Amino acid sequence: MTLLTIEDLSVHFPTRHKVFVAVNDADLTVEPGEIHGLVGESGAGKSTIGAAVMGLLERPGHIAGGTVSFKGEKISGRDAEGMRSLRGAKISMIFQDPLTSLNPLLTVGQQLVETIQFHLKLTDKDSRQRAIELLDRVGIPHPDDRIDMYPHQFSGGMRQRVVIALALCSEPDVIIADEPTTALDVSIQAQILDLIKELARERQTGVILITHDMGVIADTTDKVTVMYQGEVVESGTTDQVMGDPQHEYTKSLIAAVPRPTLKVHRFPQLSYGGRQIEFHIDDLARNWHKPEPSKSGTLLKVDKLSKTFLTKGHIIPSRRKFFTAVNEVSFDIKDGEVFGIVGESGSGKSTVARMIATLYETNGGKITFDETDVTALHSHKDLEGYRRQIQMIFQDPYSSLNPRMRVDEIIAEPVKHHKLLEGAAIQHRVDELLERVGLGSDAGRKYPHEFSGGQRQRISIARALATQPRFLICDEPTSALDVSIQAQILNILKDLQEHLGLTMLFISHDLPVVRQMCDRVGVMRQGQMVEVADTEELFANPQTDYTRELLSLMPKLEGLSTEGLKDEIV
Amino acid sequence: MSDQATQPATPSRLAKAWDSDFMYNFRHSPVAMVSFFVVALLVLGAIFAPLIAPYDPFDPASLDLMNGYTAPMAPNDFTGDVFWLGTDDQGRDVFSTILYGMRISLFVGFAAVAFAMVLGITLGLIAGYVGGWTETIIMRAADVQLTFPAILVAMLIFGVAKGITPIEHQDTMAIWVLIIAIGLSDWVQFARVVRGATLVEKDKEYVQAARMIGRGKGIIMLRHILPNVLSPVLVIATISLALAIIAEATLSFLGVGAPPTQPSLGTLIRIGQDFLFSGEWWIILFPSITLLALALSVNLLGDWLRDALNPRLQK
């Protein structure tokens, strides 16, 4: 019997100026033991469907049409009391952030026991026993001891397991998981997804898995529904939709996914909904002042670089405690090369980038840029020459641009600071850059909040290019972006590198992206460089256990259609 | 999905501002509109006092002692003159003294808050951005000051200032000393809020981008961080304004503020207090109501502003 049926569901959010249609005529069914993926980019309305099923729509949002039925019984339109008997009992939810979905003031056991008693009416002792069983079931070692610990004593992955245990307390028939692994590292993501798969099979629970990640969809789900701007564009079994997409949007989405097994020259510009952008690299290259290549062929050399952070201050130096974020890391980057650093969160990869960018002081080791020892330069004045030649593109497009500055001021700032141009020539450079990154010179008179994430990242790129640097540091430049926008930005970066001869340091946690972008890769773990190799060599023949493990955890994406990629495969 | 059917060509800047969420919020909050109206009325009354007031209470030539103790709206026994809100012991028109008194109260309030703001923002920015010993010294000084009631600090500063200014300048200097005294007792909360906001902002990537360019500390603080920490400051400034007006009134009431020759609202209340039990209630009542209306509506406006500028409370 079908567990959950959504028919012609429409969700409206009336605002001051118009009614925003978040979901329009969506259909979806969930069978027992089935994992149904709901995929789409930000703003597609996928989370709204989850909230509508649970009766958790934020006001003034409401269901404007259609029905949601649970086991044949209509549940949409029930009052708050009616929903409560269902919510958490028959239908449970797992949220994205395991940090905020647990109460930090209660032990894990207290939270589980409370939920179990509410739903199953067991005695204290039985509830506790049941809680321990659940913790054991979701793979938490030593559940008898761990049950009395507080959420902060668990790691991120373990916390998400506790959240899942909490969702299982009432033995629900349907679980709605809203981006359950987005906040987690890739190794932990794989474990959590396996757990969800096992639970669905074992208990015949229906799962709606909401995600933006095609890798998660391809590896985990049985069926998939693709959404675009509130509309369901395609629905079917996962193999069918991923392997042979019918709708143009699905095709463009799948073509934009970086593959771990294939290297493409450029991402195909299959556009949907008029999002094609023009990037005029040739015009930019013509006016670009290319510096002499460094004599040795090596532009940047990092030698035994270390960084420690003070974790506990004390007046007596011997009582102070430190954390070593980067421990004697060495590598070098050749002229015109893209060097990648991969690693999980906390591996120290961003710290390395920040030391090279002079944002952090070093605690030992040497950075040599074009035969100049940068670590020996200290005053602002001495560093000017180096800073003009390096630029950085940051991770979060929403915080990397000053919200109170106009776009043209933002891009002009480095030019003005280094006194590269004067007067009207500055405005000319800014207009040119904005044209080149496909935003048009009118964009200069607006403020950052008027742009989308991908557009802001292009403003960041324009700012980075303003001083005509030789070396570009990209710190997770696309990890906050949707996959189609990511493809655009990666294409731009590839073009820049090829046509302008830029040298790049590319930091990422995403191995498929690194494979597409980098010539050589270094793998970092807990502050140390584990392995450095040519990209293709590393993927074909990893030398260390850790690299092998990382590679084995990548989503394989083998079932994905390669239709749009044919001309681009290298 | 969008309704671009009937959009006028390009709305003017003013129309845009009127249509913004901020103004929409304002237009739908009766409390905000009423308090804004009251504040606007009182401020305009104070600014245009010389045009509106029927008498100049500071001009001894226009005073007639015979008019003393006249009740509101009743003709004077001797001269037959009628005063809307009555007169005080010296025959000064209460309505006129309130208008002129408000000028002093408002001037002292605005100037004290401006002084506290400049001091607090500067110290807060430095403490938050520079950190280390500088921060420890600034913030501990702020903590120490907070352990004394603000009015006590203001009285202390006022007393010291009075001791060191020559007698002949004391009356003219009194207003300025009052401003500094109230301002110095009020900078702490600005510094605290700005420091907190600065700590959040300085780790954002746009600040790092500016550092990478090579921008110095001063430019980063002024051009990048300051504009981004101002909206909570605006809210505190409004609420501080009400507090500063009350602080000024309190000091004047205690006799350590504005001199009787330049009476502020607080001074008027002190003068009126002497006649409260002898039946001349109007001398104290009307200045008190004015002070209450002013402080209350500024406060309500500040409360509304706090909610309107907080995105988390947005509906």
Side-chain angles (χ1 to χ4, degrees), chain B residues 202-234:
Chain B
K202 84 168 179 183
D203 284 333
K204 289 202 177 158
E205 287 176 344
Y206 71 87
V207 176
Q208 296 183 353
R211 282 175 58 204
M212 247 202 91
I213 291 169
R215 287 297 203 186
K217 284 189 176 114
I219 289 184
I220 289 180
M221 280 193 266
L222 279 178
R223 269 180 63 85
H224 291 278
I225 296 181
L226 180 61
N228 285 295
V229 299
L230 278 184
S231 69
V233 168
L234 191 63

mmCIF file of all heavy atoms in Angstrom, chain B residues 202-234:
data_model
loop_
_atom_site.group_PDB
_atom_site.id
_atom_site.type_symbol
_atom_site.label_atom_id
_atom_site.label_comp_id
_atom_site.label_asym_id
_atom_site.label_seq_id
_atom_site.Cartn_x
_atom_site.Cartn_y
_atom_site.Cartn_z
ATOM 1 N N LYS B 202 34.625 41.103 11.487
ATOM 2 C CA LYS B 202 36.034 41.052 11.081
ATOM 3 C C LYS B 202 36.450 39.686 10.571
ATOM 4 O O LYS B 202 37.455 39.566 9.890
ATOM 5 C CB LYS B 202 36.946 41.522 12.224
ATOM 6 C CG LYS B 202 37.301 40.490 13.247
ATOM 7 C CD LYS B 202 38.424 41.031 14.126
ATOM 8 C CE LYS B 202 38.791 40.023 15.185
ATOM 9 N NZ LYS B 202 39.822 40.530 16.089
ATOM 10 N N ASP B 203 35.684 38.646 10.896
ATOM 11 C CA ASP B 203 36.008 37.326 10.367
ATOM 12 C C ASP B 203 35.347 37.039 9.036
ATOM 13 O O ASP B 203 35.560 35.987 8.444
ATOM 14 C CB ASP B 203 35.593 36.235 11.373
ATOM 15 C CG ASP B 203 36.580 36.167 12.518
ATOM 16 O OD1 ASP B 203 37.746 36.523 12.291
ATOM 17 O OD2 ASP B 203 36.191 35.755 13.624
ATOM 18 N N LYS B 204 34.518 37.980 8.561
ATOM 19 C CA LYS B 204 33.866 37.731 7.281
ATOM 20 C C LYS B 204 34.872 37.886 6.141
ATOM 21 O O LYS B 204 35.864 38.583 6.256
ATOM 22 C CB LYS B 204 32.689 38.696 7.095
ATOM 23 C CG LYS B 204 31.551 38.348 8.031
ATOM 24 C CD LYS B 204 30.247 38.903 7.520
ATOM 25 C CE LYS B 204 29.113 38.475 8.428
ATOM 26 N NZ LYS B 204 27.973 39.361 8.296
ATOM 27 N N GLU B 205 34.531 37.236 5.037
ATOM 28 C CA GLU B 205 35.511 37.148 3.961
ATOM 29 C C GLU B 205 35.783 38.485 3.283
ATOM 30 O O GLU B 205 36.861 38.694 2.749
ATOM 31 C CB GLU B 205 35.052 36.104 2.940
ATOM 32 C CG GLU B 205 35.224 34.696 3.507
ATOM 33 C CD GLU B 205 34.709 33.604 2.591
ATOM 34 O OE1 GLU B 205 33.947 33.931 1.672
ATOM 35 O OE2 GLU B 205 35.068 32.441 2.797
ATOM 36 N N TYR B 206 34.821 39.414 3.318
ATOM 37 C CA TYR B 206 35.105 40.683 2.654
ATOM 38 C C TYR B 206 36.184 41.471 3.377
ATOM 39 O O TYR B 206 36.943 42.214 2.757
ATOM 40 C CB TYR B 206 33.832 41.517 2.449
ATOM 41 C CG TYR B 206 33.229 42.125 3.689
ATOM 42 C CD1 TYR B 206 33.666 43.361 4.144
ATOM 43 C CD2 TYR B 206 32.234 41.479 4.385
ATOM 44 C CE1 TYR B 206 33.114 43.929 5.279
ATOM 45 C CE2 TYR B 206 31.674 42.034 5.514
ATOM 46 C CZ TYR B 206 32.116 43.263 5.954
ATOM 47 O OH TYR B 206 31.558 43.816 7.079
ATOM 48 N N VAL B 207 36.275 41.266 4.696
ATOM 49 C CA VAL B 207 37.342 41.928 5.453
ATOM 50 C C VAL B 207 38.687 41.282 5.118
ATOM 51 O O VAL B 207 39.695 41.960 4.946
ATOM 52 C CB VAL B 207 37.059 41.865 6.963
ATOM 53 C CG1 VAL B 207 38.211 42.465 7.747
ATOM 54 C CG2 VAL B 207 35.780 42.610 7.285
ATOM 55 N N GLN B 208 38.659 39.954 4.977
ATOM 56 C CA GLN B 208 39.895 39.271 4.590
ATOM 57 C C GLN B 208 40.332 39.688 3.192
ATOM 58 O O GLN B 208 41.530 39.834 2.927
ATOM 59 C CB GLN B 208 39.683 37.768 4.655
ATOM 60 C CG GLN B 208 39.395 37.332 6.074
ATOM 61 C CD GLN B 208 39.246 35.846 6.196
ATOM 62 O OE1 GLN B 208 39.223 35.129 5.210
ATOM 63 N NE2 GLN B 208 39.150 35.381 7.410
ATOM 64 N N ALA B 209 39.342 39.881 2.304
ATOM 65 C CA ALA B 209 39.671 40.326 0.951
ATOM 66 C C ALA B 209 40.373 41.678 1.011
ATOM 67 O O ALA B 209 41.366 41.907 0.325
ATOM 68 C CB ALA B 209 38.413 40.407 0.099
ATOM 69 N N ALA B 210 39.873 42.569 1.859
ATOM 70 C CA ALA B 210 40.490 43.891 1.987
ATOM 71 C C ALA B 210 41.892 43.778 2.576
ATOM 72 O O ALA B 210 42.811 44.483 2.161
ATOM 73 C CB ALA B 210 39.617 44.783 2.859
ATOM 74 N N ARG B 211 42.053 42.867 3.537
ATOM 75 C CA ARG B 211 43.390 42.687 4.119
ATOM 76 C C ARG B 211 44.365 42.164 3.082
ATOM 77 O O ARG B 211 45.539 42.530 3.058
ATOM 78 C CB ARG B 211 43.313 41.715 5.303
ATOM 79 C CG ARG B 211 42.772 42.357 6.563
ATOM 80 C CD ARG B 211 42.615 41.320 7.653
ATOM 81 N NE ARG B 211 43.866 40.649 7.955
ATOM 82 C CZ ARG B 211 43.938 39.428 8.507
ATOM 83 N NH1 ARG B 211 42.834 38.778 8.800
ATOM 84 N NH2 ARG B 211 45.094 38.885 8.762
ATOM 85 N N MET B 212 43.864 41.270 2.222
ATOM 86 C CA MET B 212 44.727 40.701 1.192
ATOM 87 C C MET B 212 45.211 41.744 0.214
ATOM 88 O O MET B 212 46.323 41.691 -0.274
ATOM 89 C CB MET B 212 43.951 39.642 0.429
ATOM 90 C CG MET B 212 44.494 38.284 0.652
ATOM 91 S SD MET B 212 44.001 37.257 -0.698
ATOM 92 C CE MET B 212 45.374 37.504 -1.777
ATOM 93 N N ILE B 213 44.317 42.688 -0.095
ATOM 94 C CA ILE B 213 44.712 43.768 -0.990
ATOM 95 C C ILE B 213 45.861 44.542 -0.364
ATOM 96 O O ILE B 213 46.698 45.109 -1.041
ATOM 97 C CB ILE B 213 43.506 44.704 -1.249
ATOM 98 C CG1 ILE B 213 42.459 43.975 -2.075
ATOM 99 C CG2 ILE B 213 43.927 45.992 -1.912
ATOM 100 C CD1 ILE B 213 41.140 44.708 -2.164
ATOM 101 N N GLY B 214 45.914 44.537 0.967
ATOM 102 C CA GLY B 214 46.962 45.254 1.655
ATOM 103 C C GLY B 214 46.447 46.475 2.386
ATOM 104 O O GLY B 214 47.226 47.302 2.850
ATOM 105 N N ARG B 215 45.125 46.602 2.490
ATOM 106 C CA ARG B 215 44.548 47.750 3.182
ATOM 107 C C ARG B 215 44.997 47.774 4.644
ATOM 108 O O ARG B 215 45.063 46.729 5.298
ATOM 109 C CB ARG B 215 43.016 47.667 3.141
ATOM 110 C CG ARG B 215 42.440 47.970 1.777
ATOM 111 C CD ARG B 215 42.755 49.373 1.375
ATOM 112 N NE ARG B 215 41.816 49.876 0.376
ATOM 113 C CZ ARG B 215 41.947 51.048 -0.220
ATOM 114 N NH1 ARG B 215 42.960 51.817 0.078
ATOM 115 N NH2 ARG B 215 41.055 51.449 -1.104
ATOM 116 N N GLY B 216 45.238 48.993 5.141
ATOM 117 C CA GLY B 216 45.664 49.137 6.528
ATOM 118 C C GLY B 216 44.488 49.029 7.479
ATOM 119 O O GLY B 216 43.332 49.063 7.066
ATOM 120 N N LYS B 217 44.825 48.906 8.786
ATOM 121 C CA LYS B 217 43.791 48.742 9.804
ATOM 122 C C LYS B 217 42.775 49.870 9.789
ATOM 123 O O LYS B 217 41.570 49.651 9.878
ATOM 124 C CB LYS B 217 44.435 48.685 11.193
ATOM 125 C CG LYS B 217 45.090 47.360 11.481
ATOM 126 C CD LYS B 217 45.510 47.301 12.941
ATOM 127 C CE LYS B 217 46.073 45.950 13.272
ATOM 128 N NZ LYS B 217 47.484 45.920 13.602
ATOM 129 N N GLY B 218 43.252 51.105 9.681
ATOM 130 C CA GLY B 218 42.363 52.262 9.746
ATOM 131 C C GLY B 218 41.325 52.242 8.640
ATOM 132 O O GLY B 218 40.132 52.423 8.892
ATOM 133 N N ILE B 219 41.779 51.987 7.423
ATOM 134 C CA ILE B 219 40.850 51.992 6.282
ATOM 135 C C ILE B 219 39.863 50.840 6.415
ATOM 136 O O ILE B 219 38.671 51.007 6.146
ATOM 137 C CB ILE B 219 41.632 51.898 4.954
ATOM 138 C CG1 ILE B 219 42.353 53.223 4.706
ATOM 139 C CG2 ILE B 219 40.687 51.594 3.799
ATOM 140 C CD1 ILE B 219 43.070 53.307 3.409
ATOM 141 N N ILE B 220 40.341 49.686 6.832
ATOM 142 C CA ILE B 220 39.432 48.545 6.973
ATOM 143 C C ILE B 220 38.357 48.857 8.009
ATOM 144 O O ILE B 220 37.171 48.619 7.798
ATOM 145 C CB ILE B 220 40.213 47.270 7.343
ATOM 146 C CG1 ILE B 220 41.032 46.812 6.147
ATOM 147 C CG2 ILE B 220 39.256 46.163 7.769
ATOM 148 C CD1 ILE B 220 41.843 45.576 6.366
ATOM 149 N N MET B 221 38.780 49.450 9.128
ATOM 150 C CA MET B 221 37.799 49.770 10.172
ATOM 151 C C MET B 221 36.790 50.805 9.684
ATOM 152 O O MET B 221 35.596 50.660 9.883
ATOM 153 C CB MET B 221 38.515 50.288 11.418
ATOM 154 C CG MET B 221 39.094 49.181 12.268
ATOM 155 S SD MET B 221 39.582 49.780 13.883
ATOM 156 C CE MET B 221 41.281 50.151 13.609
ATOM 157 N N LEU B 222 37.281 51.853 9.027
ATOM 158 C CA LEU B 222 36.382 52.940 8.631
ATOM 159 C C LEU B 222 35.523 52.594 7.423
ATOM 160 O O LEU B 222 34.329 52.837 7.409
ATOM 161 C CB LEU B 222 37.191 54.204 8.310
ATOM 162 C CG LEU B 222 37.628 55.021 9.511
ATOM 163 C CD1 LEU B 222 38.454 56.200 9.062
ATOM 164 C CD2 LEU B 222 36.418 55.494 10.302
ATOM 165 N N ARG B 223 36.159 52.044 6.408
ATOM 166 C CA ARG B 223 35.427 51.849 5.160
ATOM 167 C C ARG B 223 34.672 50.526 5.091
ATOM 168 O O ARG B 223 33.651 50.428 4.431
ATOM 169 C CB ARG B 223 36.392 51.930 3.962
ATOM 170 C CG ARG B 223 36.507 53.330 3.411
ATOM 171 C CD ARG B 223 37.456 53.370 2.235
ATOM 172 N NE ARG B 223 36.997 52.559 1.100
ATOM 173 C CZ ARG B 223 36.159 52.992 0.174
ATOM 174 N NH1 ARG B 223 35.660 54.192 0.271
ATOM 175 N NH2 ARG B 223 35.831 52.221 -0.836
ATOM 176 N N HIS B 224 35.228 49.500 5.733
ATOM 177 C CA HIS B 224 34.603 48.192 5.599
ATOM 178 C C HIS B 224 33.739 47.805 6.792
ATOM 179 O O HIS B 224 32.618 47.356 6.635
ATOM 180 C CB HIS B 224 35.665 47.120 5.337
ATOM 181 C CG HIS B 224 36.289 47.240 3.986
ATOM 182 N ND1 HIS B 224 35.711 46.738 2.864
ATOM 183 C CD2 HIS B 224 37.425 47.841 3.573
ATOM 184 C CE1 HIS B 224 36.473 47.005 1.812
ATOM 185 N NE2 HIS B 224 37.520 47.682 2.228
ATOM 186 N N ILE B 225 34.293 47.955 7.988
ATOM 187 C CA ILE B 225 33.542 47.456 9.145
ATOM 188 C C ILE B 225 32.497 48.465 9.619
ATOM 189 O O ILE B 225 31.336 48.123 9.820
ATOM 190 C CB ILE B 225 34.503 47.056 10.279
ATOM 191 C CG1 ILE B 225 35.362 45.882 9.795
ATOM 192 C CG2 ILE B 225 33.721 46.657 11.520
ATOM 193 C CD1 ILE B 225 36.327 45.367 10.783
ATOM 194 N N LEU B 226 32.907 49.727 9.768
ATOM 195 C CA LEU B 226 31.986 50.726 10.322
ATOM 196 C C LEU B 226 30.608 50.757 9.647
ATOM 197 O O LEU B 226 29.594 50.671 10.337
ATOM 198 C CB LEU B 226 32.654 52.113 10.307
ATOM 199 C CG LEU B 226 31.805 53.253 10.863
ATOM 200 C CD1 LEU B 226 31.461 52.999 12.326
ATOM 201 C CD2 LEU B 226 32.519 54.596 10.729
ATOM 202 N N PRO B 227 30.531 50.819 8.310
ATOM 203 C CA PRO B 227 29.182 50.884 7.708
ATOM 204 C C PRO B 227 28.339 49.646 8.009
ATOM 205 O O PRO B 227 27.123 49.700 7.967
ATOM 206 C CB PRO B 227 29.465 50.967 6.197
ATOM 207 C CG PRO B 227 30.875 51.386 6.071
ATOM 208 C CD PRO B 227 31.575 50.877 7.281
ATOM 209 N N ASN B 228 28.992 48.527 8.303
ATOM 210 C CA ASN B 228 28.254 47.297 8.545
ATOM 211 C C ASN B 228 27.840 47.092 9.996
ATOM 212 O O ASN B 228 27.141 46.132 10.309
ATOM 213 C CB ASN B 228 29.066 46.099 8.069
ATOM 214 C CG ASN B 228 29.064 45.992 6.560
ATOM 215 O OD1 ASN B 228 28.038 45.763 5.958
ATOM 216 N ND2 ASN B 228 30.224 46.201 5.961
ATOM 217 N N VAL B 229 28.326 47.948 10.906
ATOM 218 C CA VAL B 229 27.922 47.785 12.307
ATOM 219 C C VAL B 229 26.981 48.913 12.743
ATOM 220 O O VAL B 229 26.616 49.005 13.906
ATOM 221 C CB VAL B 229 29.142 47.723 13.266
ATOM 222 C CG1 VAL B 229 30.015 46.538 12.922
ATOM 223 C CG2 VAL B 229 29.946 48.996 13.238
ATOM 224 N N LEU B 230 26.597 49.779 11.799
ATOM 225 C CA LEU B 230 25.854 50.972 12.198
ATOM 226 C C LEU B 230 24.394 50.729 12.552
ATOM 227 O O LEU B 230 23.814 51.485 13.334
ATOM 228 C CB LEU B 230 25.944 52.045 11.122
ATOM 229 C CG LEU B 230 27.225 52.875 11.173
ATOM 230 C CD1 LEU B 230 27.181 53.976 10.141
ATOM 231 C CD2 LEU B 230 27.452 53.468 12.554
ATOM 232 N N SER B 231 23.752 49.680 11.999
ATOM 233 C CA SER B 231 22.308 49.613 12.240
ATOM 234 C C SER B 231 21.947 49.332 13.708
ATOM 235 O O SER B 231 21.026 49.955 14.224
ATOM 236 C CB SER B 231 21.611 48.677 11.261
ATOM 237 O OG SER B 231 21.954 47.357 11.476
ATOM 238 N N PRO B 232 22.664 48.456 14.440
ATOM 239 C CA PRO B 232 22.343 48.375 15.867
ATOM 240 C C PRO B 232 22.651 49.677 16.610
ATOM 241 O O PRO B 232 21.974 50.026 17.574
ATOM 242 C CB PRO B 232 23.212 47.228 16.387
ATOM 243 C CG PRO B 232 24.253 47.010 15.373
ATOM 244 C CD PRO B 232 23.659 47.430 14.068
ATOM 245 N N VAL B 233 23.664 50.411 16.137
ATOM 246 C CA VAL B 233 24.024 51.674 16.780
ATOM 247 C C VAL B 233 22.870 52.673 16.683
ATOM 248 O O VAL B 233 22.560 53.387 17.632
ATOM 249 C CB VAL B 233 25.303 52.255 16.141
ATOM 250 C CG1 VAL B 233 25.533 53.685 16.593
ATOM 251 C CG2 VAL B 233 26.500 51.397 16.485
ATOM 252 N N LEU B 234 22.216 52.675 15.527
ATOM 253 C CA LEU B 234 21.095 53.583 15.306
ATOM 254 C C LEU B 234 19.994 53.338 16.346
ATOM 255 O O LEU B 234 19.408 54.275 16.894
ATOM 256 C CB LEU B 234 20.555 53.341 13.898
ATOM 257 C CG LEU B 234 19.559 54.350 13.362
ATOM 258 C CD1 LEU B 234 20.218 55.706 13.262
ATOM 259 C CD2 LEU B 234 19.038 53.897 12.010
#
